[in-house]
Amino acid sequence: DMRAYLSQSILDLNSLHDQRAAEHSLSAEQFSYQNARETVALVVGAIYIETPTASARMQTAEAQVQTAQALHQQAADLRKNGVSAGIDVLRAEVELQTRQQQLIAARNTLAKQNLALARVIGLPLAQTFRLADTLPYEPVAVPGVSDALTLALASRSDFQSAQARVNTAEERRSAATAERLPSLTANA
């Protein structure tokens, strides 16, 4: 005696809400993954932008040292010719030494920034590199508050992840409520 039985669930609101909750949960995790990638890109971009800035500050400090050296030489020449007092040479020496200290600090800052950039992009710390290009200045159009808010709500993956988690929680609550309801099953 062989018999076959078939049982098919036609309407089960609990399972339906559980399925929707699982879909929202998957969507939330995908948005979280995208948010992590965007955070990494943001950190790398910020450090990359700081590196040419440190280089420009070092170049400015070098120019200031050259100016201070010229002023020191001029003050020394004036003192040697008897036109200027010794205090002017001393002031020029102090200014030169101050500018040299600033140059050393700027070089150290650039070296630290290069190390930070190398670490973030995964280069070995002992490997030397030089950025191939500089970043030109371009003014940025600042959107209005309402436009910025609309853009943020549409494109921020952290917000979308949070919204998907809220939807997951709502579906799970609906599934828990639907557990009390009867389900419709067909048996053959």
Side-chain angles (χ1 to χ4, degrees), residues 68 71 90-100:
L71 290 175
L90 183 61
R91 284 184 188 139
E93 282 180 18
V94 169
E95 180 67 20
L96 176 59
Q97 290 173 351
T98 301
R99 297 300 178 184
Q100 287 172 338

Side-chain angles (χ1 to χ4, degrees), residues 97-157:
Q97 290 173 351
T98 301
R99 297 300 178 184
Q100 287 172 338
Q101 287 176 341
Q102 290 173 349
L103 176 59
I104 291 169
R107 284 181 180 155
N108 289 340
T109 300
L110 178 60
K112 287 190 286 187
Q113 196 60 43
N114 282 337
L115 285 174
L117 181 60
R119 186 175 296 128
V120 166
I121 62 176
L123 290 178
L125 295 180
Q127 182 176 346
T128 59
F129 66 94
R130 188 179 64 82
L131 298 180
D133 55 350
T134 59
L135 299 174
Y137 172 75
E138 292 184 25
V140 177
V142 179
V145 173
S146 63
D147 293 337
L149 184 60
T150 303
L151 179 65
L153 293 178
S155 64
R156 294 279 307 261
S157 56

Side-chain angles (χ1 to χ4, degrees), residues 9-183:
S9 177
I10 297 174
L11 179 64
D12 188 358
L13 294 178
N14 182 23
S15 297
L16 178 67
H17 289 297
D18 280 340
Q19 175 65 29
R20 287 182 185 165
E23 290 170 2
H24 289 301
S25 181
L26 176 64
S27 176
E29 293 308 317
Q30 288 171 338
F31 284 128
S32 291
Y33 174 73
Q34 182 180 353
N35 184 42
R37 290 181 60 88
E38 289 172 358
T39 301
V40 168
L42 177 68
V43 168
V44 170
I47 290 178
Y48 178 80
I49 288 172
E50 289 175 12
T51 303
T53 302
S55 178
R57 287 187 181 132
M58 187 192 72
Q59 291 171 354
T60 300
E62 287 173 344
Q64 290 174 343
V65 166
Q66 292 173 354
T67 302
Q69 285 172 337
L71 290 175
H72 178 263
Q73 185 62 43
Q74 182 182 20
D77 290 345
L78 289 174
R79 171 74 172 126
K80 187 168 70 172
N81 293 331
V83 180
S84 177
I87 190 76
D88 291 334
V89 175
L90 183 61
R91 284 184 188 139
E93 282 180 18
V94 169
E95 180 67 20
L96 176 59
Q97 290 173 351
T98 301
R99 297 300 178 184
Q100 287 172 338
Q101 287 176 341
Q102 290 173 349
L103 176 59
I104 291 169
R107 284 181 180 155
N108 289 340
T109 300
L110 178 60
K112 287 190 286 187
Q113 196 60 43
N114 282 337
L115 285 174
L117 181 60
R119 186 175 296 128
V120 166
I121 62 176
L123 290 178
L125 295 180
Q127 182 176 346
T128 59
F129 66 94
R130 188 179 64 82
L131 298 180
D133 55 350
T134 59
L135 299 174
Y137 172 75
E138 292 184 25
V140 177
V142 179
V145 173
S146 63
D147 293 337
L149 184 60
T150 303
L151 179 65
L153 293 178
S155 64
R156 294 279 307 261
S157 56
D158 57 342
F159 175 76
Q160 292 171 341
S161 174
Q163 188 65 42
R165 290 185 200 289
V166 167
N167 293 341
T168 299
E170 289 174 351
E171 287 295 335
R172 289 208 172 128
R173 182 184 51 85
S174 296
T177 302
E179 282 181 349
R180 297 180 295 139
L181 301 175
S183 62

